[in-house]
Amino acid sequence: MRIPRPHPIVTGIVSTLLVALACATILLWGFATPASPHSAPAPHSHTATVTAAAHHDRAPAPIVQRCIPYPAANPDPAQNCADLYLPGDYQQRTGVPVVALVHGGSWARGVTARSFDRVARDLTARGVAVYNVEYRRVGTGGGWPTTFTDVGAALDNLPAVIARHRQLTLQDSVLVGHSAGAQLAVWDALRTAAGPGPELSAPRWTPTTVVSVAGPLDMRWAADHGDSRVVRVLGGTPSTVPGRYRAVDPLAVLQTTATPATGPRIIAVHGTSDHLVSMINSERFVAEYLLRGGRAELRLLPGQTHTSMFRSSSPAYRALLATIVDAAHGSR
């Protein structure tokens, strides 16, 4: 059964008003002229390998622990693991905050967690620890439900990883995802004991803040508007496999099992010139999250595309790093 959905223009207006009243935070990044904000998704990848700005000159080199395994069904040792980046001076510190990263790539092969290596190093240079998650994708043993189960299991394992390092803390922890990784991150943050997700138990960790960058946060809307990548990873359309959309579509989970009033703060960052994942996804999700009592911010970036906020010379990239680090240090 298809649930009637509000008209996108109405949703955009409601979203803007709600964000203005509840958060008053529309961040203007970038300098290019915006394209049409309601462009439909194009049949290309949901991400690209990103390049980052230089490290802080005085920051010591990070300590990187590669491929820490997490529990998974029939695991692939090369994929069911995560990298932990520690500030070079972390052993002389206490209360080092933690940021978890989930990379994108259309939930498919071709892009791996190493695409976030530079981002992780730049964040670590700013004094936070980073947990960079790898998972199986379509074409590498993933797809429904493995991709989602892997990410849920990896993030559930974060407290166990952090417990081995007394200098780290999950207070004010941040979960960041780009594109398909943003869908996975927001979905994981909305999991509850009543709705843990496919083949998962109650979540063991919920971030304080989620930063969604260019995320397809309304998978049903995206699939209904031509996004074949969503259909591929879920194995069907909303009309053919509705239960799968109810289980992992962030907006659908929000409408059924999530508890926004006690959930994480969500910052949805989206370029107005993103032709791969329409900003309508972020508009619709933020509007619903606010209506249900959650804390959310919509940050539309005039002229920014799907990946331009990750360019090394971009002020948007530096602002994105600052947003993540400020959240990790408890700034509101």
Side-chain angles (χ1 to χ4, degrees), residues 13-318:
I13 294 172
V14 172
S15 171
T16 302
L17 291 174
L18 285 169
V19 173
L21 291 172
C23 308
T25 49
I26 299 295
L27 182 62
L28 300 179
W29 290 338
F31 303 97
T33 301
S36 171
H38 290 174
S39 300
H44 299 290
S45 174
H46 270 178
T47 194
T49 300
V50 298
T51 57
H55 306 316
H56 287 184
D57 293 338
R58 298 180 182 178
I63 299 168
V64 183
Q65 299 178 7
R66 294 289 184 189
C67 211
I68 300 169
Y70 58 81
N74 303 311
D76 177 348
Q79 297 186 88
N80 293 121
C81 58
D83 296 334
L84 181 64
Y85 297 72
L86 299 165
D89 61 351
Y90 87 98
Q91 291 182 326
Q92 287 74 53
R93 297 169 54 194
T94 59
V96 177
V98 177
V99 174
L101 300 178
V102 184
H103 72 87
S106 299
W107 308 277
R109 67 186 308 162
V111 178
T112 71
R114 290 300 178 93
S115 66
F116 263 170
D117 182 73
R118 182 62 66 180
V119 178
R121 291 178 183 276
D122 282 346
L123 288 169
T124 306
R126 287 159 172 79
V128 302
V130 176
Y131 181 72
N132 188 21
V133 173
E134 187 59 280
Y135 54 94
R136 289 171 287 187
R137 305 164 308 284
V138 175
T140 67
W144 177 265
T146 303
T147 293
F148 306 93
T149 302
D150 279 0
V151 171
L155 295 173
D156 279 349
N157 197 51
L158 180 56
V161 173
I162 299 308
R164 302 169 198 155
H165 303 276
R166 60 178 176 79
Q167 299 87 351
L168 309 187
T169 177
L170 287 177
Q171 181 179 354
D172 294 315
S173 56
V174 182
L175 176 56
V176 182
H178 175 229
S179 193
Q183 175 274 317
L184 291 164
V186 174
W187 160 72
D188 182 83
L190 296 178
R191 293 169 51 218
T192 64
E199 302 178 6
L200 292 165
S201 302
R204 299 190 183 100
W205 168 70
T206 299
T208 304
T209 302
V210 182
V211 180
S212 164
V213 184
L217 304 184
D218 186 348
M219 298 176 83
R220 290 185 299 192
W221 184 91
D224 286 340
H225 288 77
D227 194 332
S228 60
R229 302 170 294 269
V230 171
V231 175
R232 182 175 63 241
V233 72
L234 293 183
T237 65
S239 62
T240 58
V241 289
R244 298 181 182 183
Y245 285 81
R246 287 194 298 270
V248 298
D249 177 356
L251 186 58
V253 171
L254 175 58
Q255 293 170 332
T256 54
T257 61
T259 53
T262 57
R265 177 177 63 141
I266 295 179
I267 302 173
V269 179
H270 221 119
T272 61
S273 295
D274 188 338
H275 300 302
L276 299 182
V277 177
S278 172
M279 73 179 192
I280 294 174
N281 282 271
S282 291
E283 289 178 330
R284 290 170 68 89
F285 180 86
V286 168
E288 189 75 11
Y289 203 73
L290 290 170
L291 281 171
R292 293 176 180 272
R295 297 169 297 150
E297 303 172 29
L298 175 64
R299 300 186 179 183
L300 300 181
L301 316 185
Q304 295 293 327
T305 66
H306 193 60
T307 58
S308 61
M309 68 281 290
F310 288 102
R311 292 174 184 164
S312 60
S313 60
S314 171
Y317 178 73
R318 293 190 292 274

